[in-house]
Structures are given as C-alpha cells and as structure tokens.
Amino acid sequence: MTVLANSAGKGGRVEEGAIARDRNRFVAAATDASLTALIAFGLFLPLIGFETVQNINEVLVLRTRWPFLFSLVAIIGAGRLAYVLVVPPWLARRAARPIAAEPPAWRVAVARWFVPCAIGFVVAYPLMVAWALGLRGSLKWIDNFGIQILIYVMLGWGLNIVVGLAGLLDLGYVAFYAVGAYSYALLATHFGLAFWILLPLAGILASFWGILLGFPVLRLRGDYLAIVTLAFGEIIRMVLINWVALTNGYAGISGIPRPSFFGIPFNADDNGFAAVFGLPFSPIYRTIFLYYIIMALALLTCFVTVRLRRLPVGRAWEALREDEIACRSLGINTTNTKLTAFAMGAMFAGFAGSFFAARQSFISPESFTFLESATILSIVVLGGMGSQLGVAIAAIVMIGGTEITRQLDFLKEIFGPTFDPTQYRMLIVGFAMVVIMVWRPRGLITTRAPSVYLKVRKTIAADLVKEGRG
Amino acid sequence: MPLLVDTLLRVEHLTMRFGGLVAVDDLSFDVREGNITALIGPNGAGKTTVFNCITGFYKPSEGRLGLRHGKPAVWDALEPLTDSGARRRVHADGTLFLLERMPDYLVARQARVARTFQNIRLFPGMTALENLIVAQHNRLMLASGYTLLGVLGFPSYARAERAAMERARAWLDRIGLLARADDPAGALAYGAQRRLEIARAMCTQPVLLCLDEPAAGLNPRESAELNQLLRTIRDEDGVSVLLIEHDMSVVMEISDHVIVLDYGVKIADGAPETVRNDAKVIAAYLGLGDEEAKIEAEIGS
Amino acid sequence: MDYFVQQIINGVTLGSIYGLIAIGYTMVFGIIGMVNFAHGDVFMTSAFIALITFLILTTLFGITSIAVSLFIMLITAMLFTSLINWAIERIAYRPLRGSFRLAPLISAIGMSIFLSNFVQVSQGPLNKSIPPIVQGEFVLFRHASYPVTLSYKQVIIWGITAVLLAAFWFLVARTRLGRAQRACEQDQKMAALVGIDVDRTIAATFVIAAALAAVAGTMYVMYYGVVSFADGFVPGVKAFTAAVLGGIGSLPGAVVGGLLIGLIETLWSAYFSIDYKDVAAFSVLAITLIFLPQGLFGRPDVEKV
C-alpha cells in the first residue's frame, strides 16, 4: 500500500507496476502465512488437538479440541500475514528516515529528571495509594505491586554486581536468598532475636556461603560457571527439603516473627502500633512499614553498587568482565576480585531473604526454586547488564506484569468460569523472555557510563562493552 | 655464564613442554638493567611462550627465572633462595624473586614485571582513562583501605585517586591520547590501542616491561614514534624493556641486546650488529623458505 | 550381590535414557557453544506426545499389538518433537546467533519455562499415568528368595537405544550431514566459505537432538507409565551432567556419561538415601566441572594468552 501511495504521482505506468508488485507481495505473504499456519498445526496437533483427562474410573482418556486447535492455527496464520504485510515496509520507512544528530531537548530534560522523580514516586507511592483507595483497598497495591516489585529490584541489583559488573554468570543466586530467609527464620524462631539484629547477620551468613561456594567454582568460565551455580542452588534447595529436623522440609517454617516498629508491634493490642499512635487498627500500617524497609534496603543496594563502581574494587570487577587475562597482567588478584563480587551479591540476597521471611512469616523450599534464579537473572539481562536503572525498569515490567496476570479476573467473564488466568502467568513470562531477547539481546539500557572522566562523561556504546566470559 | 653486575632478569635452562611438544628447550639468557633487549626468531620459535613463562601465565616445565630489585648484591642469595623453596628473599638493599614460583598476578604486583599482549588486550568497553586507572589497582586498593574507607569517603582515598588520575593524565599526554581520554579504548585506532596498552603496563610502575610485538600492524610513522617512546621509557623512566618483535627496523634501531630463538633453542645472543651477521641467524630466517622471512632478513642485514 | 546386579540392570536402563538426552546437549553445545536449556523440556514434551499417541492408538483405533503401537509411538514422537525443536531453534535461537553471548541462554531458559507451562496449561497439572504397555520379565537367576530379573521393557530399551545409537553414529561419522556438522563445530565461518549451509546444518542438529530425546521420552513413558509437565527439568539437568561427565562435545562421552549417571543414581538410591538421589547427580555435576571440566572424553581447554 505504501508503495502505491509513494508512486501515485509518477504516472500510470509506474502505478501499474506498483500494483503488480503489491499483488506479488501479497501472494508471497499469503504463502508465507499458510506455511506458518501449517507448521503451527503440526506443532499444536498433539498437545492442543488432544487433551488427556482422567475419567470417572481414574483411567486416562482422550478428548479432542478441534475447534480450539483450528482457531489457534487460524489466528497464528492471520497474525503472520499481518506481520509480513506491515512490519517490513514499516522498517524500510524507518530506515529511510534521517537520524537526528542531537537528541531533542525534551529527551535531555527527561533523562536528567527521571531518576529523582522516580525516587520521589517510590517514596510517595504507598501514601498516594492509601489516600486514593482507602486503607482497605490499597493493601493489595502496596503489597503485591510495591513490596513484591521492590524485592525483585533489590535482588536484581544484587545479582547485577555479579553478572552485570563482574561478568560472572550465576544461575543459583536464589540459594543465597534462601540462606538469608532460613537464617532469619531459624534464628528468630529458636532464639527470638530481633529483625534488626538478624538482618545484618543474615547478610553476613549469605556472603559467607557465597565465598564458600564461590571458591571452588570461580576458575570456571561462562556457561560452565552458570551450570555449577545452578547445581549448587539446587543442592541447597534439596538439603532444605530433606533436612527435616532443621528446616521442617516441604512443610516449611511458619510463625516467623515480623518486624516491629522500633519495639512497637503491629497488632491490635493496647501497646500495638495503632493504639500507641491513636489510630484505628488496620493491617495496612505494617504493610506500609514493610514497604519502606524494603525500599530502604533496595536503595542501599543501589547506593553501595554505584559507590563501589567508582572504587578500585568496582573498576576491577568491570575490568574482569572485559578481559580477565589483562587483569592478571596488571597484578589484580582475580580470584579475590571474583569472590568479593560473589560475596557482595550474596550479601544483598541475604538481606532480601531475611526481609522476605519477615514479611511472609512463612517460608518453604517452594519459594527458592530455579525459576526464581531464572527470573532474577532475566531481570538483570533484560534490564541491560550493569545498568541500575535498566534493572529497576525490568523488575517493574517482569514482576509487575506477572502480578497483573493475577488480576485478570474479568477474563473469566469472557472465557467462562473455569478459565484461570494465573495458569497462563509463567507461560507468558517464558515466552516474553524469548521475545525480549530476540528483540533486544542486550537488554533495555545498553550503554555503559564510565566510572571516571577527565573532561566529559561520554556513554559507551554497547557493542564495545564485553559481556564477560564468566 | 658469569653473572654480570647489571643483570636484572636471569633466565636459566628454561624448558616448556606442552604434552610431547617442546616449545622452549633449555634456554638461558640475561636481561640487563637499563637495556632494551629484543627476543627475535621466526614464527613459532617459542618467543611468546618465553614471555608467558616470565610473566607467570605458564608454569615452566623446568628452569629458573631470577629477578632482582635493588642492588646487584642480592644476586648472592640466588642459590640459598632456590634451596629454600620460597618465592622471594628480601634483603636490606633489595629483593630477589624466583618468577617461576609465582602466579601471574604476583609477578606483576610484587616482582613488578608488566607486559602487553600480541593481540591487544585492553578493556575495550572502558575509557582510555579508566584503563590506566585500573592499572593502578593495587595502590588504589590499599589507599581505599580495601574498599572500606573508600565507601565511607575517607580523604586519603580521594588523594590517592587524584594522584592516580595525574599519572594517567601524564601518560595519556605522553602517548598523544589526552584528547581521547574519555573515549572507550575499543573505539581507538589500532596504533593508539598499542600505545595505550604500553601506557597501561607502565602505570603499574614496573621494573621490567615485556612487550609482545609492539610494532605489529603499525605504519612507518607510528613505528618511529614507538621507537621514540621505548627510548624514553628506557632513558627517562629507567625501566628495562624486553620485547618480541618481527619488525627488524625496530629491533636493530633501538635494542641494546638481541637474542635469537629458533624452534625453542637459542641460536644467537649479542649486540644487534653481531647478531645480524650471524650465519645461523641468516640461515634460520632464509631457511624458512618464506618470502616474508627473506625480506625481513634482508632488511636486517 | 544379587541386589547389586539388579541395581546395575536398573541403572543401565535409566542410563540409556539419560544418554539419549545427553547426546542432544552435547551436539548442540558442540555446534553452537550453547547449553540448550530447554532440551529437558523437549524430552518431557516428547513423552507427552508418545503418551497421547498411545491413547489414540488404543482407544481410538483399538490397536492391541504392542510392537505396532510402540513403533508408531516412537515414530510419531520423533516426528512431532523434531518439528517442535526445529521451531524452537528457528524462533528462539537463530535470531540470536552471533549476538550477545548470554542472550541465547536466557532465551533458552525462557523456552524451557514456556514449554513446561505450555504442557501444564494444555494437558493439566496432574500426573498422567497409563497402564503398563509391556509386561513380563526374564528371571536371570535366583538365590535365596531374591530373584534378579531383566524385564521385557528393559530389554526393549537396551535394544532400541543400541540400534539408534548405531544409526546415529553412522549418520555423524559417515554421511555428508555429519561431516558438515563436524565442520561447523570447528569453524562456522570457514564452513560457510567452503559451501556448507550452516543454518541448515544447525537446524538438522536440533532435529536429530530432538529425535533422540523423543526416543528417550517414549522409553520413559513405556518404562515408568507416568509423566507430568514438571518432568523435564531434573532429567534434563541429569542428562546435561552426563554430557559434561563424558566431556561436552564428545558423542561417545555423552553415552558413557549417561550410563554412569544412571548407575550412580540407582546405586546411590539403593545403598545410601533415596531422598538425596538428586543431590548425588548435582554433586557429580559440580565435582566434574570443578575438577575435570573437560570430562572423560573431552579435549582439554588450554587457556590462550
């Protein structure tokens, strides 16, 4: 169609040629789409075309779903047709457009004010929500969206030290999160120690485990390191499952004490938070308090990381990611440098873990599966490795997005009451990971800001920055 | 071979085997203080392997690599040190190191032997300035109280960082890259990257600088500039240089001493003039049957 | 002693299944240097396809011959799984070839999550069990009261694995495709320059990997008679362990590694603790990577300075 519009003024002959070309293009697109539909039919025939269900005698029988299969195939075919017809011309038009040399003024202003505004928003968020939706209605928004996202922002920032800065691929990060959570849960339930004492302790224990596990594996590179860390993560989880005497196995640990407001508990008693401050009792105060704890912890993580990047150790991490052999030729002890990155990342995971245990008041090995590690790693990679802002945005997109799928109850009215949108949550997450990687393999924010400069701070294009070989 | 008073590095009976392949066979030579020593030889002669042994990247199969800091008298400790099994011996007037016993990063940190690589190994995503700051890692690490004081923002670290910046700036100026200080190293031209890698090695404040084919890929003008730079490193900074080079114009012009390797064996050792007229050397180069080697040998003689 | 022999028989059976999956890991890693994280889930999907085929054959067509239904199950699972893995390579990995090195790994993890959840959503979260397809056993010998048996299904697994491995070995060692694969392993650019269609060779590798995983999946359904959507991850990691133990990139290594992992797991469960049997496999993985990263049959990786 665009070809047609562009050539309209150049005389009839050209126009006829354009129509013919357009028709050819349509035929090619239709062929492509039918082929795609055919492949989709093959892909989905066994698992969508047939459903295995247990009948009343608990024997597995088959049910067919032909209408569903064919409509899915039709949708895919139509989608492909639309894609082929629309996207390549659009890309061609975009490529033809000249690139502006200087970014427009509004973008510069946005870039400058974005971070302060975002921090302001995060600080004001629970109060705004509570004001807008009332105490009862805001609980879900502060807890599921606020706290949940901030936990992953913090974990993402923690793992960013290991993966983004030091270039060490860690697929078992959740193990340190688990160490933090179980440290808090066990020490708090057995010895009655307070949250504020156990928080740093959990961080120290997690970083101790980071060093312990890191030491033997750090000379491995790339994918191998990733797989060993995955193995360690799984081993720790299996020990948590099977060491029932300590961890209570699958049943988990419940009744974990929650943090108090500097000694004042959040309960309905006379000495509870609400009574002391003369407020009507509501569980929302605790949630708001927890929100500010995790916000402070996340900001601490960010602050320390930003600070470390400008110190020798942080520069050594980045140098390590760029070229390990060159680092050694400069007298940098790469083992220690890697271990500090591992320990530092583990420490923040430990903090986050103990917060998680305190918030949930119940933990079990189910919360520390490989899927969690994969989620955190994808937040880091999706955000753009090494970029604090990118990681935060990615955490909001990934965790916020999965939380939104929990809220899609209205779909039940369209697809009937048996439709459960939460089932599709991980399906969408998995597919989104693939799509985002194909779309932006280096993540959302790909440039690197230098840690020091002589005259001007220039951002460094992504293609120069190495991704680390482990 | 008697120990000369000005010997800085003494390589004795160095042998390096990879499986059945003997890359370096019973090689002995000295690098003298304040000299530019060239290690030359046809491709595959084992030159880079010698470098990797000296800088600790490979552990030699056999041999002894002694390096001295301070007064020549420390050489007296060579035999006792070898017998003691230790890595180094500290004296009142200097220190003696046995490099074959040290891991790569300690060779750079303690024995202060810096090196560059045949295929440039800069940190391409970091700026030229950052590259030079990373090279001063150990001093800065100490000043930052192993990070603790640095995180808290102690002034001692700020001072040390300013000094590091000053050194980096001076080196950028010397290699003509001051204007590119804030550009990523990976975006620099090839010749500039070579110079930056040398500057980075010099920022570790070495006593011995090992350069692996510094002139490779340079045009004649850049090559002449490199010669000048290496001379000032020798004369003004007082740093001894050991270099591997194929470009005979560089070797013959600047080196004080030339060692020729062929198939891992030393075939000549001496002043540039003596080496270039050595029959064995000419044979080694011509015997290759390789057009390039012929030309190289012709330029040499 | 009898108990031990029985465990060896069981271990070799389990090991054959791991070995078949491990070949997929090792081939893909060899050719594009990537850990195909979704391979375990491809195996699980193939088990579902085999199971559905079995139900179609028995309930819709009423086929009773075990040999015929096993054969059709095998072929169907191989065909459809190959198609699925071909599509995965095309959608999730090919666009990322030559790009940022972590991207394909993340993409593969995404694919793994997608596949297991796709099966969960489309077939439900419950374990799917079918009545035993093959029954009966040989009693090898009997001391006291403990019979050492070799069941028919174990014989079938051993037989099919051996035949397919031979066919596969022929494919890789003797055909044009195998040569192209080995060339791409060495140097993709060079291979393309001498006229090998690299894209097609890599696609073929994924297809073969999937076909072997489908054989493993069919055997799995036949042997255990039960499968669930979550059965991809752990067998996947164990098969990967087998590939690493054998030396990643080495095809005989993958088979030997698979047998070893099968034996280790069975013996560990039999003599130590069945609860910690997965810990044993993961520990073998960690220990191998740390102390013997080139595996039993792999080439050592010399650090280039």
Side-chain angles (χ1 to χ4, degrees):
Chain A
M1 292 308 280
T2 46
V3 185
L4 197 66
N6 287 346
S7 55
K10 294 177 190 169
R13 195 171 284 269
V14 180
E15 203 167 298
E16 270 169 35
I19 291 169
R21 221 180 311 141
D22 238 28
R23 188 180 300 134
N24 281 344
R25 206 159 65 83
F26 188 81
V27 169
T31 319
D32 184 328
S34 340
L35 198 64
T36 310
L38 192 67
I39 292 168
F41 178 75
L43 289 176
F44 294 129
L45 175 62
L47 290 171
I48 300 254
F50 298 93
E51 187 186 15
T52 48
V53 277
Q54 280 184 343
N55 69 7
I56 211 146
N57 303 323
E58 298 208 341
V59 172
L60 216 53
V61 293
L62 280 179
R63 245 193 259 153
T64 56
R65 289 185 286 204
W66 301 121
F68 182 38
L69 174 66
F70 286 113
S71 40
L72 190 68
V73 168
I75 289 169
I76 288 171
R80 178 73 191 179
L81 186 67
Y83 174 86
V84 173
L85 286 178
V86 172
V87 172
W90 178 73
L91 284 178
R93 238 177 309 148
R94 212 175 66 148
R97 210 187 308 152
I99 301 159
E102 284 282 312
W106 66 269
R107 283 183 92 164
V108 177
V110 166
R112 161 176 285 182
W113 291 106
F114 184 77
V115 172
C117 286
I119 292 176
F121 175 77
V122 171
V123 172
Y125 175 76
L127 304 178
M128 278 174 4
V129 173
W131 178 73
L133 299 172
L135 292 183
R136 195 165 279 279
S138 58
L139 186 65
K140 178 175 88 181
W141 291 95
I142 298 174
D143 198 37
N144 291 1
F145 286 88
I147 296 177
Q148 187 74 3
I149 290 176
L150 281 173
I151 289 178
Y152 282 91
V153 169
M154 179 170 178
L155 288 169
W157 277 339
L159 184 61
N160 194 23
I161 296 175
V162 184
V163 181
L165 295 183
L168 304 165
L169 190 48
D170 184 353
L171 279 181
Y173 191 61
V174 80
F176 308 122
Y177 187 46
V179 168
Y182 272 88
S183 305
Y184 175 72
L186 291 171
L187 294 173
T189 48
H190 288 297
F191 301 103
L193 295 173
F195 176 74
W196 293 106
I197 296 169
L198 289 178
L199 181 73
L201 201 61
I204 291 168
L205 280 172
S207 64
F208 169 73
W209 276 90
I211 293 171
L212 206 68
L213 296 187
F215 199 73
V217 304
L218 285 176
R219 59 202 179 88
L220 298 172
R221 274 179 275 167
D223 295 10
Y224 279 17
L225 179 70
I227 299 295
V228 174
T229 50
L230 180 147
F232 278 150
E234 286 297 299
I235 290 173
I236 286 190
R237 190 172 67 89
M238 283 166 198
V239 170
L240 290 178
I241 290 171
N242 290 309
W243 193 355
V244 179
L246 182 74
T247 64
N248 202 21
Y250 274 118
I253 300 173
S254 54
I256 302 166
R258 297 180 136 149
S260 59
F261 185 77
F262 305 105
I264 306 171
F266 289 93
N267 57 23
D269 294 349
D270 285 347
N271 58 354
F273 179 83
V276 169
F277 287 89
L279 298 163
F281 174 75
S282 164
I284 192 78
Y285 301 127
R286 181 192 354 244
T287 310
I288 294 178
F289 180 58
L290 286 172
Y291 177 91
Y292 282 115
I293 293 178
I294 186 67
M295 185 192 80
L297 286 172
L299 288 179
L300 176 79
T301 313
C302 184
F303 171 78
V304 170
T305 312
V306 168
R307 191 95 205 196
L308 287 178
R309 264 201 75 206
R310 295 185 189 152
L311 285 171
V313 68
R315 293 206 189 101
W317 289 339
E318 290 203 78
L320 196 64
R321 175 192 68 205
E322 297 280 318
D323 195 324
E324 182 178 341
I325 287 174
C327 277
R328 300 206 313 243
S329 82
L330 298 174
I332 296 174
N333 184 338
T334 50
T335 311
N336 285 355
T337 309
K338 287 176 182 178
L339 279 179
T340 52
F342 235 64
M344 198 63 80
M347 184 179 79
F348 289 120
F351 289 158
S354 68
F355 173 82
F356 176 76
R359 170 212 182 198
Q360 304 286 94
S361 178
F362 164 77
I363 51 167
S364 78
E366 286 301 292
S367 306
F368 308 104
T369 56
F370 167 69
L371 210 56
E372 291 295 308
S373 287
T375 310
I376 303 165
L377 182 68
S378 23
I379 286 172
V380 174
V381 176
L382 168 61
M385 301 204 329
S387 160
Q388 299 292 97
L389 183 61
V391 168
I393 294 172
I396 293 169
V397 171
M398 290 262 314
I399 305 304
T402 54
E403 288 299 323
I404 282 173
T405 59
R406 286 189 210 269
Q407 317 291 335
L408 297 178
D409 284 345
F410 69 92
L411 287 175
K412 279 192 180 165
E413 288 166 21
I414 306 172
F415 293 102
T418 53
F419 183 82
D420 180 9
T422 56
Q423 270 195 345
Y424 294 85
R425 198 162 68 95
M426 291 319 289
L427 187 74
I428 296 167
V429 169
F431 198 65
M433 279 166 76
V434 175
V435 170
I436 290 167
M437 275 303 108
V438 172
W439 170 53
R440 293 200 79 139
R442 277 181 168 265
L444 297 171
I445 296 185
T446 54
T447 53
R448 170 180 179 269
S451 66
V452 61
Y453 61 97
L454 214 51
K455 294 191 193 72
V456 278
R457 187 187 293 276
K458 301 175 187 170
T459 54
I460 296 169
D463 50 348
L464 292 171
V465 181
K466 288 276 177 70
E467 71 266 39
R469 289 167 302 171
Chain B
M1 204 164 30
L3 260 170
L4 295 167
V5 285
D6 58 351
T7 297
L8 177 70
L9 169 75
R10 158 149 277 215
V11 175
E12 291 169 292
H13 307 293
L14 177 67
T15 301
M16 184 74 210
R17 281 183 288 264
F18 296 103
L21 178 84
V22 184
V24 178
D25 192 5
D26 197 25
L27 174 70
S28 302
F29 67 89
D30 280 1
V31 173
R32 269 170 271 162
E33 193 166 19
N35 268 7
I36 293 178
T37 309
L39 192 59
I40 65 169
N43 285 330
K47 306 179 296 287
T48 300
T49 307
V50 174
F51 257 44
N52 286 340
C53 290
I54 293 173
T55 51
F57 281 87
Y58 291 164
K59 191 154 184 55
S61 313
E62 275 164 47
R64 183 162 70 176
L65 302 160
L67 181 95
R68 137 183 97 85
H69 285 184
K71 300 228 171 84
V74 299
W75 280 118
D76 299 342
L78 186 59
E79 294 307 326
L81 173 60
T82 309
D83 296 337
S84 74
R87 284 173 181 164
R88 60 173 169 169
R89 177 159 291 198
V90 185
H91 287 262
D93 45 4
T95 312
L96 190 67
F97 296 89
L98 287 180
L99 301 182
E100 79 277 9
R101 294 180 181 173
M102 301 167 77
D104 42 24
Y105 73 95
L106 285 184
V107 171
R109 181 194 288 188
Q110 293 177 345
R112 290 173 39 213
V113 176
R115 71 170 291 176
T116 65
F117 296 89
Q118 199 170 339
N119 4 340
I120 304 173
R121 281 185 177 274
L122 285 167
F123 306 121
M126 301 175 93
T127 64
L129 180 70
E130 282 180 303
N131 267 276
L132 299 190
I133 302 277
V134 170
Q136 305 177 53
H137 174 82
N138 288 316
R139 233 167 308 128
L140 285 172
M141 201 69 185
L142 203 63
S144 73
Y146 293 94
T147 308
L148 203 63
L149 304 180
V151 173
L152 301 173
F154 268 63
S156 65
Y157 173 67
R159 258 200 313 279
E161 197 182 28
R162 267 199 303 280
M165 290 275 282
E166 214 29 69
R167 174 171 289 115
R169 179 205 290 270
W171 269 104
L172 286 168
D173 199 16
R174 265 178 88 171
I175 57 172
L177 287 179
L178 195 54
R180 307 291 308 270
D182 298 317
D183 286 326
L188 298 175
Y190 190 80
Q193 292 197 11
R194 284 252 174 242
R195 293 202 300 278
L196 183 61
E197 205 191 9
I198 295 173
R200 187 181 67 179
M202 284 303 292
C203 278
T204 64
Q205 295 184 298
V207 298
L208 175 66
L209 178 65
C210 299
L211 303 174
D212 198 344
E213 298 197 23
L218 300 190
N219 64 33
R221 192 178 54 83
E222 287 173 325
S223 203
E225 281 170 7
L226 175 77
N227 288 354
Q228 196 46 45
L229 178 66
L230 294 185
R231 279 202 197 94
T232 60
I233 285 174
R234 176 188 61 188
D235 301 334
E236 289 167 24
D237 302 273
V239 174
S240 315
V241 177
L242 175 64
L243 64 96
I244 292 175
E245 193 46 74
H246 275 301
D247 185 338
M248 288 300 153
S249 65
V250 174
V251 172
M252 293 303 156
E253 202 178 321
I254 63 166
S255 37
D256 305 295
H257 185 120
V258 178
I259 295 143
V260 189
L261 277 190
D262 192 18
Y263 293 109
V265 181
K266 184 168 86 174
I267 56 172
D269 183 348
E273 305 77 50
T274 27
V275 166
R276 93 167 78 180
N277 297 323
D278 189 295
K280 268 191 192 156
V281 176
I282 294 168
Y285 273 84
L286 294 180
L288 267 174
D290 177 49
E291 203 57 33
E292 204 176 70
K294 266 186 212 164
I295 294 162
E296 270 178 2
E298 276 159 20
I299 295 166
S301 55
Chain C
M1 184 60 204
D2 300 350
Y3 185 59
F4 179 74
V5 173
Q6 184 67 62
Q7 297 312 321
I8 296 283
I9 291 172
N10 296 347
V12 169
T13 313
L14 187 61
S16 312
I17 293 176
Y18 289 152
L20 286 169
I21 311 173
I23 291 176
Y25 278 108
T26 222
M27 277 174 75
V28 168
F29 191 92
I31 202 158
I32 53 174
M34 160 198 158
V35 178
N36 181 10
F37 222 91
H39 196 61
D41 294 286
V42 169
F43 154 77
M44 177 275 298
T45 311
S46 78
F48 263 88
I49 295 173
L51 179 121
I52 288 169
T53 315
F54 172 75
L55 289 176
I56 292 173
L57 291 174
T58 49
T59 60
L60 297 184
F61 295 106
I63 291 176
T64 47
S65 157
I66 291 165
V68 170
S69 53
L70 260 185
F71 182 73
I72 298 177
M73 273 166 81
L74 205 58
I75 298 298
T76 322
M78 283 167 86
L79 273 178
F80 281 101
T81 314
S82 300
L83 181 67
I84 288 172
N85 216 22
W86 175 84
I88 289 174
E89 195 270 335
R90 192 76 185 75
I91 293 168
Y93 307 148
R94 191 181 296 181
L96 294 172
R97 205 172 300 148
S99 122
F100 185 55
R101 208 185 46 84
L102 281 183
L105 186 71
I106 302 293
S107 190
I109 292 172
M111 236 338 146
S112 158
I113 295 172
F114 174 78
L115 267 184
S116 62
N117 282 278
F118 174 72
V119 172
Q120 182 189 8
V121 167
S122 63
Q123 298 295 325
L126 297 173
N127 277 345
K128 304 286 173 183
S129 56
I130 50 171
I133 304 175
V134 182
Q135 278 170 309
E137 61 198 18
F138 300 111
V139 176
L140 295 185
F141 51 87
R142 183 195 298 266
H143 289 297
S145 63
Y146 191 88
V148 174
T149 61
L150 176 63
S151 64
Y152 294 159
K153 55 189 180 186
Q154 285 174 330
V155 175
I156 294 174
I157 290 179
W158 292 10
I160 291 182
T161 306
V163 168
L164 276 162
L165 283 181
F168 171 72
W169 178 83
F170 177 79
L171 187 73
V172 172
R174 292 292 164 88
T175 64
R176 209 179 142 75
L177 174 67
R179 269 199 305 280
Q181 273 176 337
R182 277 176 287 142
C184 288
E185 254 173 57
Q186 298 285 325
D187 190 334
Q188 283 186 19
K189 258 188 208 139
M190 217 35 230
L193 282 176
V194 298
I196 292 169
D197 186 338
V198 175
D199 277 348
R200 188 183 289 174
T201 311
I202 292 172
T205 307
F206 274 83
V207 164
I208 296 170
L212 291 175
V215 176
T218 313
M219 304 287 110
Y220 186 88
V221 168
M222 184 195 73
Y223 193 55
Y224 293 104
V226 60
V227 62
S228 104
F229 76 94
D231 283 348
F233 180 67
V234 170
V237 174
K238 284 179 188 162
F240 179 75
T241 308
V244 168
L245 185 61
I248 197 137
S250 155
L251 298 174
V255 179
V256 174
L259 290 176
L260 278 175
I261 291 292
L263 285 171
I264 290 170
E265 184 180 332
T266 316
L267 294 176
W268 182 281
S269 310
Y271 289 99
F272 297 103
S273 149
I274 195 154
D275 287 339
Y276 282 93
K277 76 179 160 103
D278 292 349
V279 173
F282 283 110
S283 307
V284 170
L285 176 60
I287 291 166
T288 315
L289 280 176
I290 293 167
F291 295 105
L292 193 71
Q294 77 275 18
L296 297 173
F297 296 88
R299 284 178 292 271
D301 178 25
V302 177
E303 185 177 52
K304 280 297 246 186
V305 177

